[in-house]
């Protein structure tokens, strides 16, 4: 299995939105709310230049979005989704490493993410630390931060 990473293209938006929703629904949490929430199945056009896509044999199996943060020293990991059928194959870790490279390229010294409880162990195993609790449309979530080299 060779995973390729590339920059997203405008024509990927529909595929990325569908993957985002499918991945979110796979846990079985907040199903009705997610299905009713337009943001749960959309990748905004202005985010596309900041999206890295993971592909296997030309098929998109995951993506990550890194946006400039509130300060020049901080970047925000906006989305990281892997298709459920590709879970537990290291794709999330590859995308997270790409996110860190993207944040460093933006000049950031830290990368932050808002994550639910299910994603928290993944990020903490990659060096992210608790930075606070935030309200989201679905439930309270955790803000995590990782210092970058």
């Amino acid at each position: 299995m060779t995973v390729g990473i590339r920059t997203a293209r405008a024509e990927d938006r529909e595929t990325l939105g569908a993957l985002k929703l499918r991945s979110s629904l796979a846990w079985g949490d907040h199903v009705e709310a997610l299905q009713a929430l337009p943001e749960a199945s959309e990748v905004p056009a202005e985010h596309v230049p900041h999206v890295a896509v993971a592909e296997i044999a030309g098929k998109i199996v995951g993506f990550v979005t890194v946006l400039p943060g509130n300060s020049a020293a901080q970047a925000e990991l906006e989305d990281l989704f892997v298709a459920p059928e590709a879970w537990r194959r290291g794709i999330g870790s590859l995308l997270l490493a790409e996110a860190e490279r993207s944040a460093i390229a933006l000049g950031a010294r830290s990368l932050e993410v808002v994550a639910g409880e299910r994603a928290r162990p993944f990020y903490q195993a990659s060096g992210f630390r608790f930075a606070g609790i935030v309200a989201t449309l679905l439930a309270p979530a955790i803000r995590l931060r990782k210092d970058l080299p």
Side-chain angles (χ1 to χ4, degrees), residues 5 10 51 55 68 78 81 83 112 116 128:
I5 304 287
V51 176
E55 291 181 318
E78 179 69 20
F81 291 97
E112 295 190 9
F128 283 76

Side-chain angles (χ1 to χ4, degrees), residues 45-94:
E46 61 271 18
H47 288 191
V48 172
H50 304 283
V51 176
V53 170
E55 291 181 318
I56 298 175
K59 181 180 182 214
I60 295 174
V61 294
F63 73 96
V64 65
T65 307
V66 176
L67 302 173
N70 294 331
S71 75
Q74 183 253 331
E76 187 75 24
L77 195 163
E78 179 69 20
D79 288 325
L80 193 161
F81 291 97
V82 175
E85 65 274 11
W87 285 357
R88 315 229 30 97
R89 294 189 193 171
I91 295 166
S93 295
L94 284 173

Side-chain angles (χ1 to χ4, degrees), residues 6 28 36 45 49 51-52 60 82 84 94 96-97 99 101 115-116 122 126 129 137-138 142 144-145:
R6 66 167 173 83
V51 176
I60 295 174
V82 175
L94 284 173
L96 187 55
R101 281 191 290 279
F122 167 75
S126 299
R129 298 292 167 247
L137 294 172
L138 300 175
I142 298 146
L144 300 163
R145 178 181 300 120

